[in-house]
């Protein structure tokens, strides 16, 4: 689909702020990966239309075998899809901004797909608030299993058994509703947000707390807040710039503008 001409026009303030920025922080959600072929959660056709989020809480995972079965069904589907997908233009633009222009202090992500790292973002700078799906761990003893081992059981319609080491429950190394966020990632994310001079959210509905408070922290710390999202978000009124376009088009247009401005 050709890029809408107004995108190039509307990204100009962002390109200017980026050029002058010393401390830019990006916060991404499922919407940055839809152009790679991964559905998001809350759009029509999204994951929460087919799986009931109420059944996917950490408490239900611990207490109900029905919820665990549903959970493994979702992960089987995710592993099937996610192992085939590639980063898109938006992930690539972020990696270029970091490598070529040294513009990015941190990429805070709610995504579990690993596509930022695959696109070339420095893994040290990617803060995964909801964990990563490329691992399975025992909730009791912490023993790790390669995802492929569990995937091949699911392929044969076998429900994953308890941990081979201690008999505890095993679970993908991602964060469910009601489960604590990884302490190190969230505290670094908070610090980066407060210190940011430009804070850009990409492809997130900003509905899930506590992650959704990060843009608010950035704003309180004096950052310019830019929201790139196809649909409205509850924080649009707080933003200095809202761009309601596809992440791929928007980030490509920003990169182009920045290239032009730095060449001048
Ligand atoms: N470009 C820009 N925006 C997009 C695109 C795109 N190509 N595709 C989708 N979007 C927008 C949608 O308009 C939507 O508002 O991305 C947003 C995605 O929102 P959610 O589906 O709510 O995903 P996210 O914000 O990442 O969800 C946060 O909630 O249940 C969970 O744990 C899950 O990490 C997830 C968290």
């Amino acid at each position: 689909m050709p890029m809408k001409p107004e995108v190039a026009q509307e990204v100009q303030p962002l390109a200017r702020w980026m050029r002058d920025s010393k401390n830019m922080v990006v916060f991404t959600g499922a919407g940055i990966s839809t152009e790679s072929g991964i559905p998001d959660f809350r759009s029509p056709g999204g994951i929460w239309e087919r799986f009931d989020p109420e059944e996917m809480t950490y408490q239900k995972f611990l207490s109900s075998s029905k919820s665990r079965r549903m959970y493994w069904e979702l992960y089987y589907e995710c592993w099937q899809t996610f192992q085939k997908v590639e980063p898109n233009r938006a992930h690539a633009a972020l990696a270029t901004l970091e490598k070529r222009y040294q513009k990015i202090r941190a990429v805070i992500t709610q995504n579990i797909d690993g596509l930022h790292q695959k696109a070339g973002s420095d893994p040290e700078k990617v803060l995964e608030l909801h964990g990563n799906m490329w691992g399975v761990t025992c909730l009791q003893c912490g023993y790790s299993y390669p995802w492929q081992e569990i995937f091949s059981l699911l392929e044969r319609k076998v429900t994953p058994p308890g941990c081979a080491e201690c008999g505890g429950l095993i679970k993908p190394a991602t964060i469910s509703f009601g489960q604590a966020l990884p302490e190190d990632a969230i505290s670094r994310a908070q610090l980066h947000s407060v210190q940011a001079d430009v804070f850009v959210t990409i492809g997130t509905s900003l509905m899930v707390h506590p992650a959704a408070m990060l843009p608010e922290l950035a704003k309180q710390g004096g950052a310019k807040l830019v929201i790139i999202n196809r649909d409205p978000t509850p924080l649009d009124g707080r933003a200095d710039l809202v761009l309601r376009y596809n992440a791929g088009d928007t980030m490509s247009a920003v990169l182009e503008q920045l290239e032009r401005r730095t060449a001048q």
Side-chain angles (χ1 to χ4, degrees), residues 41-62:
F41 294 91
R42 296 176 179 80
S43 293
I47 289 174
W48 295 149
E49 249 179 29
R50 288 176 305 114
F51 290 87
D52 179 1
E54 303 270 313
E55 287 296 329
M56 296 290 173
T57 64
Y58 188 54
Q59 289 66 24
K60 286 263 175 90
F61 185 88
L62 296 181

Side-chain angles (χ1 to χ4, degrees), residues 14 17 198-201 224-228 239-243:
L14 174 55
W17 296 333
V198 178
F199 189 94
V200 186
T201 79
K224 294 262 188 239
L225 174 61
V226 180
I227 294 181
I228 301 172
D240 297 277
L241 180 67
V242 176
L243 297 163

Side-chain angles (χ1 to χ4, degrees), residues 16-79:
R16 212 170 45 241
W17 296 333
M18 270 188 192
R19 187 199 52 195
D20 299 337
S21 164
K22 302 268 172 294
N23 214 352
M24 183 169 107
V25 173
V26 178
F27 179 43
T28 65
I32 197 172
S33 296
T34 55
E35 291 166 65
S36 292
I38 300 175
D40 67 11
F41 294 91
R42 296 176 179 80
S43 293
I47 289 174
W48 295 149
E49 249 179 29
R50 288 176 305 114
F51 290 87
D52 179 1
E54 303 270 313
E55 287 296 329
M56 296 290 173
T57 64
Y58 188 54
Q59 289 66 24
K60 286 263 175 90
F61 185 88
L62 296 181
S63 62
S64 149
S65 56
K66 179 179 154 230
S67 290
R68 284 198 290 277
R69 265 199 308 279
M70 217 181 279
Y71 199 85
W72 288 120
E73 212 181 288
L74 171 61
Y75 269 83
Y76 178 57
E77 202 181 292
C78 288
W79 280 324

